[in-house]
């Protein structure tokens, strides 16, 4: 399946963060889109403007921001919040949220207030800018996890979290409808899946089906955004070279056990079939908007279980005497072992096999987008070149 311009139907994009840009960011973004088969780039809302502030305060500010993002080739905008939005917005275990974030003022400092109004308004403004940009997607990450990776276990069961997230998403959709921002032609709202072990929320195809069935979405703007790296968080390699799910027994379904039994001695095949099981699930045919593509290296230890760091790493974290040091310790493990966003072929996956899977997915989902999510690569252009080559079987 070649990836030359005009031969690969899928629109392709690249995640860009400030540290990946050159001094002349506008020229760099334009170069990437001209040199490679890119329809644009994706940026994170908090990188556009700090989430604690309104995105714009006047129509003039909004128009100036739209021009600026247009010059940067932004065609996908990622929502600017994550971490415990469900507990916060629903009031479910709010005291736990306060404790885990370090106090009520810390909650206010992160979310902007204690009601959720600021966060909802910020999301709504971000969608308004995406619509004015005629962007292809607004990415909404439905997750629930602790502010310091590894300090606390998940305390709400999966179904409770899903229902809270459905309520949160419905509130957002209603906000867009009330301002007439949501139409049959406005950007899709792309729901990104949670990362196994670190986060709890929308993770499987069945989870997505549950969400999409329950939210009132008259213009069918809600879509699935499969983050491949997050799916691969679930798997690991044993000392003997066999592979399995690094998850609590209660999270491993009969279908997942079947994958272990059938492909446990074929690591790349196991990883591919785990992706296939989710991405090509019949319940989601016609509902997948995009694949966020990067690889994940094989982990050999189950560092996180139900959100909590395993020993001896938890004990090492607990020895640290301040919040910042503990946060840095947890994030280092996350970015090094779970959310590493490797170039395709440098981890669990085979590039050619992944290209075939994407083609099969495109057959079931008209207008499917491909996001190269290489946000940990600096410089990013060589990483993009290698990932494109991997999809053509050249890496």
């Amino acid at each position: 399946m070649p990836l030359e311009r005009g031969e690969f139907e899928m629109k392709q994009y690249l995640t860009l963060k400030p540290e990946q840009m050159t001094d002349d960011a506008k020229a760099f973004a334009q170069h990437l889109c001209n040199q490679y088969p890119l329809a644009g780039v994706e940026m994170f809302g908090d990188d556009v403007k700090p989430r604690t502030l309104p995105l714009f305060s006047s129509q003039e500010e909004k128009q100036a921001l739209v021009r600026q993002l247009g010059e940067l080739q932004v065609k996908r905008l990622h929502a600017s919040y994550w971490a415990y939005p469900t507990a916060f917005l629903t009031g479910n275990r709010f005291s736990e949220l306060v404790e885990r974030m370090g106090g009520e003022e810390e909650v206010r400092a992160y979310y902007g207030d204690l009601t959720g109004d600021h966060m909802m308004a910020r999301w709504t403004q971000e969608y308004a800018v995406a619509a004015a940009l005629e962007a292809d997607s607004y990415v909404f990450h439905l997750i629930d996890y602790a502010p310091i990776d590894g300090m606390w276990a998940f305390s709400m069961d999966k179904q409770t979290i899903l229902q809270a997230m459905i309520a949160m998403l419905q509130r957002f959709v209603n906000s867009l409808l009330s301002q007439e921002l949501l139409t049959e032609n406005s950007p899709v709202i792309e729901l990104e899946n949670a990362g196994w072990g670190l986060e709890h929320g929308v993770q499987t195809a069945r989870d997505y089906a549950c969400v999409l069935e329950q939210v009132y979405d008259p213009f069918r703007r809600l879509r699935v955004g499969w983050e491949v790296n997050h799916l691969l968080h679930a798997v690991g390699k044993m000392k003997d070279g066999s592979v399995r799910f690094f998850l609590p027994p209660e999270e491993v379904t009969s279908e997942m056990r079947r994958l272990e039994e059938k492909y446990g001695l074929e690591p790349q095949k196991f990883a591919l079939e785990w992706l296939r099981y989710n991405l090509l699930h019949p319940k989601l045919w016609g509902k997948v908007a995009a694949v966020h593509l990067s690889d994940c290296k094989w982990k050999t230890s189950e560092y996180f279980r139900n959100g909590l760091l395993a020993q001896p790493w938890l004990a090492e974290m607990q020895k640290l005497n301040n919040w910042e040091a503990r946060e840095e310790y947890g994030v280092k493990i996350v970015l090094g072992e779970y959310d590493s966003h490797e170039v395709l072929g440098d981890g669990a996956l085979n590039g050619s096999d992944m290209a075939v899977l994407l083609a099969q997915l495109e057959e079931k989902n008209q207008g499917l987008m491909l996001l190269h999510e290489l946000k940990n690569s600096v410089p990013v252009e060589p990483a993009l070149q290698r990932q494109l080559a991997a999809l053509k079987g050249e890496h």
Side-chain angles (χ1 to χ4, degrees):
M1 190 176 74
L3 284 172
E4 298 298 328
R5 190 183 299 274
E7 297 181 353
F8 189 64
E9 295 182 3
M10 217 176 296
K11 281 186 176 181
Q12 298 180 70
Y13 310 79
L14 175 68
T15 299
L16 270 185
K17 295 185 69 64
E19 59 268 25
Q20 294 176 311
M21 298 184 191
T22 60
D23 291 338
D24 190 346
K26 182 170 65 173
F28 181 55
Q30 185 66 60
H31 160 73
L32 290 172
C33 291
N34 290 339
Q35 185 68 26
Y36 306 98
L38 299 181
V41 304
E42 176 179 299
M43 288 191 68
F44 176 42
D46 190 53
D47 288 335
V48 175
K49 191 172 184 179
R51 65 175 71 86
T52 52
L53 303 172
L55 190 59
F56 54 84
S57 300
S58 67
Q59 283 303 306
E60 291 76 18
E61 280 189 29
K62 176 184 173 182
Q63 291 167 3
L65 184 59
V66 169
R67 285 195 299 272
Q68 177 189 359
L69 294 178
E71 290 172 350
L72 289 171
Q73 311 302 313
V74 174
K75 282 295 183 180
R76 295 170 56 91
L77 192 60
H78 195 298
S80 58
Y81 280 94
W82 67 92
Y84 274 118
T86 57
F88 179 61
L89 283 179
T90 64
N92 194 339
R93 305 201 183 193
F94 186 75
S95 60
E96 178 184 280
L97 170 67
V98 172
E99 176 188 352
R100 294 187 175 194
M101 290 201 73
E104 192 170 290
E105 286 310 306
E106 280 69 20
V107 175
R108 188 191 305 274
Y110 181 81
Y111 291 104
D113 57 32
L114 299 179
T115 66
D117 290 345
H118 172 82
M119 182 166 69
M120 194 60 61
R122 172 66 191 237
W123 280 339
T124 302
Q125 283 193 325
E126 289 171 1
Y127 189 83
V129 166
L133 271 171
E134 298 183 346
D136 295 317
S137 181
Y138 179 64
V139 185
F140 205 72
H141 196 176
L142 294 182
I143 62 174
D144 201 84
Y145 76 150
I148 297 179
D149 292 294
M151 275 289 289
W152 298 279
F154 302 138
S155 57
M156 286 189 278
D157 64 80
K158 182 69 161 289
Q159 194 57 39
T160 300
I161 290 174
L162 282 178
Q163 290 303 319
M165 289 178 171
I166 288 164
M168 178 178 68
L169 184 58
Q170 187 67 75
R171 182 178 173 184
F172 178 53
V173 169
N174 291 348
S175 175
L176 299 180
L177 288 170
S178 69
Q179 297 191 36
E180 299 184 345
L181 291 170
L182 204 65
T183 72
E184 60 185 10
N185 297 314
S186 61
V188 297
I189 301 171
E190 192 176 307
L191 310 180
E192 178 181 332
N193 55 300
W196 292 79
L198 304 173
E199 307 161 355
H200 226 24
V202 181
Q203 290 167 309
T204 68
R206 293 185 184 278
D207 293 337
Y208 270 127
C210 174
V211 171
L212 295 176
E213 286 169 2
Q214 295 191 53
V215 177
Y216 171 61
D217 173 28
F219 297 108
R220 296 177 57 81
R221 293 291 82 196
L222 297 181
R223 293 287 190 276
V224 177
W226 278 119
E227 218 279 25
V228 168
N229 194 271
H230 288 174
L231 279 171
L232 294 176
H233 289 181
V235 301
K237 186 177 288 188
M238 306 295 287
K239 291 182 179 178
D240 64 2
S242 65
V243 291
R244 65 173 179 82
F245 290 100
F246 277 17
L247 298 169
E250 62 271 16
E251 289 193 31
V252 182
T253 65
S254 57
E255 293 94 338
M256 293 160 77
R257 291 290 184 209
R258 181 185 61 81
L259 290 176
E260 287 182 329
E261 292 168 4
K262 190 170 183 179
Y263 303 110
L265 298 179
E266 302 176 77
Q268 282 192 333
K269 185 69 173 176
F270 177 86
L272 180 72
E273 293 304 317
W274 169 232
L275 296 184
R276 186 191 309 279
Y277 170 74
N278 286 285
L279 271 60
L280 289 177
H281 200 288
K283 282 183 175 288
L284 298 182
W285 288 357
K287 299 177 182 178
V288 179
V291 172
H292 307 177
L293 184 62
S294 60
D295 212 333
C296 187
K297 68 182 183 182
W298 287 108
K299 66 185 73 63
T300 55
S301 296
E302 185 183 350
Y303 293 92
F304 297 92
R305 174 167 284 205
N306 287 326
L308 186 67
L309 259 178
Q311 299 294 0
W313 304 282
L314 180 60
E316 291 299 315
M317 174 185 275
Q318 290 170 336
K319 289 177 185 177
L320 301 172
N321 58 11
N322 64 74
W323 185 280
E324 291 76 16
R326 290 173 177 174
E327 183 176 40
E328 183 179 355
Y329 185 90
V331 168
K332 186 176 181 180
I333 295 176
V334 171
L335 296 184
E337 305 297 335
Y338 281 75
D339 220 33
S340 54
H341 292 282
E342 309 288 343
V343 172
L344 184 63
D346 286 358
L349 299 173
N350 173 277
S352 298
D353 289 343
M354 194 64 207
V356 172
L357 179 57
L358 288 170
Q360 293 169 340
L361 185 62
E362 190 175 27
E363 290 178 1
K364 302 295 185 183
N365 298 276
Q366 186 177 5
L368 185 70
M369 296 175 275
L370 179 61
L371 173 68
H372 297 282
E373 192 167 13
L374 302 168
K375 60 186 180 182
N376 295 338
S377 295
V378 180
V380 70
E381 188 172 0
L384 175 63
Q385 291 171 339
R386 292 178 60 231
Q387 181 144 298
L388 290 171
L391 282 167
K392 292 189 287 185
E394 298 172 358
H395 163 60

